[in-house]
Amino acid sequence: MAPLTMQAARFHAAKDLRVEQVELPPLAAGEVRVKVAYAGICGSDLHEYATGPFTCTCAPHALTGQALPMTLGHEFSGTIEELGEGVNSERLKVGAKVCIEPVISCLECRPCLEGNRPLCEKGIGFLGYNRPGGLAPYTNVPQANLHVVPDHVELDVAALAEPLSVAWHAVSCSQIKPGETALVIGAGPIGALVTRVLKAKGASYVVVSEPTATRGAIATACGADLVLNPLETDVVKAVREATKGGVDVAIDCAGNQRTFDAACGATRAKARIVMVALWDTDKRAALDFSNILFGEKIVTASCCFLGQDMQEVVAALANGLIKVDDLITSRIALKDIVAKGLHALVEEQHHVKILVDMQQ
Ligand SMILES: [Zn+2]
Ligand SMILES: [Zn+2]
């Protein structure tokens, strides 16, 4: 039985995240109570904590009606504790392992009806920003946001299904085919996972551009065939030489004019260039259109991921196509989330994914 109150990590304002006692919300119809096992801390949590709120709202959110203070945590795994009224008990059974797809959308507009929930015309919300997330020992999740994980997949690995799905979707957007070559720009957590997914999907040669040696080593561990330091090497020239004319796919996980130019310059004709990084809304990129036109290149972007991406990721974790356990660089208790979680991610560059052990 879940307790009546619990400790949760709640975001109040910039630099103000408190581990505090909260009441367990009642289970509404269509919701599932999840006993959280592990919750990952993400770059967007860092951003929210450092200078937010961005995704959390001070006024009630249009889709959820909820506002600050908010229990964070959108990358988590756990087991089903209890089913609310009307939940599909054929698909979701008490005790089953689950991971969470955090996107909340209107479910009525054209993109939503076509299965592209992250592209909802009314704007999206997230579990862990716009309704309570997984940085608490229990949380309630709408049944549509749950994916069942096979029993033999460890729950710490299942907590990485969310960021891995972001990478999986980016690689899907690139339409890479087995045997093609790729450039990944930036080897932070998403760039590292993108590198691993590219290799899992059969990329024959993956170059990673990354300015720090620590993250360059992580890229190598993720399967990069060549790691270039853009501060020391002309990345475009080196990639074109190494791949005899340029890569088929470039995935920009850094998101600035220099990296975008490198992505366009290092690609061959008919290449696909995918932007994964967020750009500031007031920032405009300059585009060398001759390079795009005379190469018939496609410039596109990847936003969150679809339910199908997470299904494919869970299957890939279950059948061993992809491994992520080596990318869990620390496991901490909830009470240490600020010092050993948020601060450690900024100060210690060897971290890829820090997990909070919610039952510790
Ligand atoms: Zn995230
Ligand atoms: Zn919608």
Side-chain angles (χ1 to χ4, degrees), residues 9 47 54 68 77 119 137 141 160 195 221 250 252 272 277 337 348:
H47 192 49
F54 296 108
L68 290 173
S77 63
L119 313 183
V141 180
L160 270 73
T195 303
D252 187 352
R272 289 81 66 197
I337 185 162
E348 303 163 20

Side-chain angles (χ1 to χ4, degrees), residues 51-109:
T51 44
F54 296 108
T55 313
C56 291
T57 54
C58 297
H61 187 266
L63 289 170
T64 66
Q66 301 200 37
L68 290 173
M70 181 57 65
T71 301
L72 298 184
H74 61 277
E75 304 181 353
F76 62 99
S77 63
T79 50
I80 294 180
E81 177 80 6
E82 192 182 342
L83 303 181
E85 208 185 299
V87 169
N88 179 348
S89 58
E90 287 296 304
R91 184 173 87 87
L92 302 167
K93 295 189 164 59
V94 171
K97 289 182 177 177
V98 287
C99 60
I100 277 76
E101 183 188 335
V103 171
I104 300 162
S105 68
C106 82
L107 300 175
E108 290 168 352
C109 71

Side-chain angles (χ1 to χ4, degrees), residues 47-225:
H47 192 49
E48 197 81 8
Y49 170 73
T51 44
F54 296 108
T55 313
C56 291
T57 54
C58 297
H61 187 266
L63 289 170
T64 66
Q66 301 200 37
L68 290 173
M70 181 57 65
T71 301
L72 298 184
H74 61 277
E75 304 181 353
F76 62 99
S77 63
T79 50
I80 294 180
E81 177 80 6
E82 192 182 342
L83 303 181
E85 208 185 299
V87 169
N88 179 348
S89 58
E90 287 296 304
R91 184 173 87 87
L92 302 167
K93 295 189 164 59
V94 171
K97 289 182 177 177
V98 287
C99 60
I100 277 76
E101 183 188 335
V103 171
I104 300 162
S105 68
C106 82
L107 300 175
E108 290 168 352
C109 71
R110 187 167 165 182
C112 279
L113 292 173
E114 289 175 348
N116 293 311
R117 292 182 59 188
L119 313 183
C120 177
E121 287 170 358
K122 294 176 188 155
I124 53 176
F126 292 91
L127 260 107
Y129 289 118
N130 309 114
R131 60 174 282 159
L135 281 168
Y138 294 89
T139 192
N140 299 340
V141 180
Q143 60 175 333
N145 293 79
L146 287 170
H147 289 262
V148 175
V149 175
D151 259 341
H152 70 277
V153 176
E154 298 297 334
L155 282 167
D156 53 355
V157 165
L160 270 73
E162 200 274 350
L164 193 54
S165 296
V166 172
W168 193 274
H169 188 64
V171 174
S172 297
C173 288
S174 80
Q175 299 179 38
I176 193 152
K177 295 184 277 295
E180 286 191 324
T181 56
L183 167 66
V184 179
I185 303 181
I190 294 299
L193 291 171
V194 162
T195 303
R196 197 157 272 185
V197 173
L198 281 165
K199 294 302 279 190
K201 289 199 172 189
S204 61
Y205 190 78
V206 178
V207 186
V208 175
S209 170
E210 165 58 45
T212 75
T214 314
R215 288 184 161 178
I218 294 166
T220 302
C222 286
D225 297 284

